[in-house]
Amino acid sequence: MSTTMNRRSLLKLLSAAGLGTAFARRTMADEIGAAPKNPAVPEGKLVSAKQAPRYPARLVGGRVIQPERPLTVTNETDVLVVGGGPAGFAAAIAAARTGAKTTLVERYGYFGGQWTGGLVLLVISSHAKENGSLVKVLRGVGDELLERLTKFDGAVVNQNPGKFNPTSDPEATKYMMDEMIREAGVKVFLHCWVADVVMSGPLIRGVVFESKAGRQAILAKVVVDATGDGDVFAAAGAEHELRLHAIGMVHRLGNVDRTDPAKLKEGGIKSLGSIEPLSSVKWVNLRGPSTNCLDIGELTRLEMEHRRSIWKRVQQMRQTPGGEKLFLLQTAPQIGVRISRLLAGTHQLTYAEAREGMKFPDTIAVGGAQNAQHRGWPIPYGVMVPKKLDNLLAAGRCVCVDEALIEDMRLIASCLTTGHAAGTAAALSVQNKCRPRDLAMDKLQKKLLEQGAYLG
Ligand SMILES: Cc1cc2nc3c(=O)[nH]c(=O)nc-3n(C[C@H](O)[C@H](O)[C@H](O)COP(=O)(O)OP(=O)(O)OC[C@H]3O[C@@H](n4cnc5c(N)ncnc54)[C@H](O)[C@@H]3O)c2cc1C
């Protein structure tokens, strides 16, 4: 019989003596701090229908009808950012630093969107070439995040002077995003999916979101739609278009430093993927069919088909001489939706305008060059402002561009910079008691420059 006792058997023993649960709680509390007591949650008590009123949908004449019902307002805020991807993260930090009471709602349990959850680790378009020199166009909140990550060993590669397009480790990025959001004093709701809007005429007064606690609402003065898919502006009835583009699934390979690339090449495997800060790991980009992410059947099919083909491919690599030690470390928790809804904004930025490097009086950021091979392209405020809706700004990959510019605008660097600009603009609109579309551009640009943004 074994003389050592593992944690599980110790807990069993303590539990038999009536001590197990308390012990388990104490060990967790040691690590992360005890949960604050919540008197609204009657732990261990029966909850009656009276205490928890329900409003189930009804089947009426073959149609499912949702009854009218009151919703709890969990929070009232100045600026509400929906979506915690690169754009939403930067927007929330910028709004809070500009002095607005800021709330961020994210459907998953972490920040970073496609960058971290989609395992898209390479921040393309961080730089441009101006007069023959490399210029960093990704500045402000996004760059601060990368600079802070460089201080950790193994968190980011290619962020040094003279280099461009850094690649970051997903867990380090999530951690640093948490830290920066916390420091900025943003109120956060994770695991909350925004499902609808609260309207009052042309104004979005807030959003309705779903969580394990049911449907609740948040009220706001200005809303930033950083969902990537324009869920909020679509629900509010803003004009938009739908674009489809290669829904893929990124995955990561482990033990790549224990492979024999020459032998693998002989066996027909030319590439193992792209570098990461950890030398033993590579991330593998994947394209896929250009279908509609709003079609849940398609999304379900792709999720399963991509995983199946990735699994088969990795097994094949493991059977190829030189690849025996490889393994599939992870498939992305978030399927790789590249584009869907695009806002119809007051300015549709075109590829031709970007290529000419056209300057705008309302420039709020500068897009970079994919391989830092050409000059930057100014991004006007109008790409984020809906034609009609009054107190919403869009940021990130769902802003208003023509088809040819989608490929550049959706890159992480541009999403970080438009997010930063949208957050600052939202906060200034609240402070100046004006609609975001009426915000004085000189005020916005001055504030953005103070906050380290690059406007060309
Ligand atoms: C397969 C693939 C490969 C790519 N490769 C690269 C690359 O190499 N380099 C590069 O720079 N870019 C790349 N991109 C593009 C880039 O990753 C994205 O365009 C960028 O992350 C978009 O940022 P975002 O903040 O606008 O949206 P997202 O990153 O999509 O973030 C949106 C966030 O909103 C949340 N959300 C969505 N709907 C709701 C809702 N209703 N309620 C609450 N929260 C919600 C999501 O969970 C998510 O966190 C790639 C994209 C894909 C899909």
Side-chain angles (χ1 to χ4, degrees):
M1 196 178 122
S2 161
T3 50
T4 54
M5 183 175 274
N6 64 24
R7 190 167 178 274
R8 184 181 287 251
S9 38
L10 175 65
L11 284 175
K12 254 191 191 166
L13 207 74
L14 287 166
S15 144
L19 296 167
T21 321
F23 179 78
R25 270 202 206 115
R26 217 166 19 246
T27 53
M28 283 306 288
D30 285 348
E31 288 160 21
I32 57 167
K37 290 250 177 294
N38 183 350
V41 183
E43 190 189 351
K45 297 223 170 79
L46 287 177
V47 179
S48 71
K50 218 173 172 188
Q51 283 167 300
R54 297 182 63 250
Y55 304 87
R58 296 192 196 292
L59 198 56
V60 183
R63 294 197 309 162
V64 177
I65 305 291
Q66 249 188 342
E68 218 172 60
R69 55 179 155 163
L71 296 180
T72 305
V73 175
T74 59
N75 188 31
E76 290 197 37
T77 190
D78 290 339
V79 175
L80 171 66
V81 179
V82 184
F89 159 78
I93 298 222
R97 288 183 182 172
T98 308
K101 190 176 166 195
T102 304
T103 302
L104 175 55
V105 182
E106 165 55 48
R107 70 179 155 166
Y108 295 131
Y110 50 82
F111 306 118
Q114 287 295 340
W115 188 3
T116 58
L119 297 176
V120 171
L121 308 177
L122 172 64
V123 181
I124 302 184
S125 277
S126 62
H127 287 68
K129 191 154 267 172
E130 305 282 353
N131 303 319
S133 306
L134 202 59
V135 174
K136 193 190 261 188
V137 296
L138 170 56
R139 298 200 207 162
V141 174
D143 186 42
E144 180 185 329
L145 166 66
L146 286 160
E147 288 294 347
R148 287 178 69 167
L149 282 172
T150 17
K151 301 208 168 75
F152 293 117
D153 187 28
V156 59
V157 289
N158 254 18
Q159 172 70 359
N160 299 327
K163 302 258 177 96
F164 56 90
N165 293 354
T167 298
S168 70
D169 176 83
E171 291 307 321
T173 310
K174 282 186 207 168
Y175 163 75
M176 190 49 79
M177 284 178 150
D178 283 351
E179 291 303 290
M180 288 175 67
I181 287 278
R182 230 192 302 257
E183 287 164 16
V186 176
K187 171 110 182 141
V188 177
F189 290 81
L190 294 177
H191 300 291
C192 294
W193 187 305
V194 169
D196 214 338
V197 286
V198 182
M199 296 299 290
S200 166
L203 292 180
I204 296 191
R205 288 290 291 111
V207 297
V208 174
F209 67 96
E210 294 282 359
S211 75
K212 287 285 178 185
R215 286 205 141 195
Q216 294 174 322
I218 295 174
L219 298 181
K221 292 180 182 150
V222 177
V223 179
V224 176
D225 185 343
T227 58
D229 298 316
D231 289 8
V232 185
F233 63 65
E239 206 178 295
H240 62 272
E241 61 174 323
L242 182 65
R243 292 277 174 189
L244 313 178
H245 183 37
I247 300 183
M249 184 182 279
V250 175
H251 55 283
R252 300 168 90 198
L253 299 175
N255 265 353
V256 288
D257 54 346
R258 299 176 70 189
T259 61
D260 184 333
K263 271 195 188 169
L264 275 168
K265 210 170 176 183
E266 275 170 31
I269 312 283
K270 291 192 188 83
S271 163
L272 291 179
S274 306
I275 58 152
E276 291 201 23
L278 297 173
S279 59
S280 55
V281 183
K282 282 199 169 178
W283 73 277
V284 187
N285 205 345
L286 198 79
R287 297 184 70 78
S290 289
T291 53
N292 183 0
C293 80
L294 307 179
D295 177 343
I296 204 68
E298 258 308 85
L299 221 46
T300 306
R301 181 181 77 84
L302 286 181
E303 185 76 57
M304 295 168 76
E305 288 297 326
H306 274 317
R307 246 192 320 268
R308 174 196 266 171
S309 80
I310 290 167
W311 181 260
K312 281 190 177 161
R313 185 168 163 264
V314 177
Q315 295 314 306
Q316 187 202 339
M317 289 162 105
R318 283 164 60 86
Q319 282 152 19
T320 307
E324 296 87 347
K325 293 203 169 69
L326 267 184
F327 65 94
L328 177 60
L329 176 65
Q330 186 185 20
T331 54
Q334 269 170 254
I335 194 161
V337 173
R338 286 181 162 85
I339 214 71
S340 60
R341 296 190 192 98
L342 291 181
L343 179 76
T346 57
H347 185 144
Q348 186 186 51
L349 185 62
T350 65
Y351 181 76
E353 287 172 330
R355 197 183 46 201
E356 282 166 31
M358 193 177 277
K359 293 197 162 49
F360 304 103
D362 60 344
T363 295
I364 44 86
V366 175
Q370 294 206 7
N371 287 310
Q373 76 281 35
H374 59 72
R375 69 184 164 189
W377 39 282
I379 302 173
Y381 184 57
V383 301
M384 307 195 291
V385 182
K387 281 186 181 160
K388 286 203 181 113
L389 213 56
D390 267 349
N391 58 334
L392 176 137
L393 290 168
R397 63 180 163 89
C398 55
V399 300
C400 187
V401 289
D402 72 356
E403 191 183 1
L405 195 60
I406 289 174
E407 209 49 31
D408 292 279
M409 186 58 102
R410 69 182 184 86
L411 296 170
I412 294 169
S414 311
C415 295
L416 285 164
T417 52
T418 58
H420 181 157
T424 303
L428 287 179
S429 303
V430 172
Q431 279 161 16
N432 289 280
K433 297 191 170 44
C434 69
R435 302 180 302 175
R437 69 176 73 254
D438 298 329
L439 184 64
M441 284 302 107
D442 56 341
K443 273 192 189 154
L444 173 59
Q445 288 163 336
K446 184 167 172 275
K447 185 51 97 180
L448 286 172
L449 289 171
E450 278 168 24
Q451 293 173 336
Y454 178 66
L455 305 185

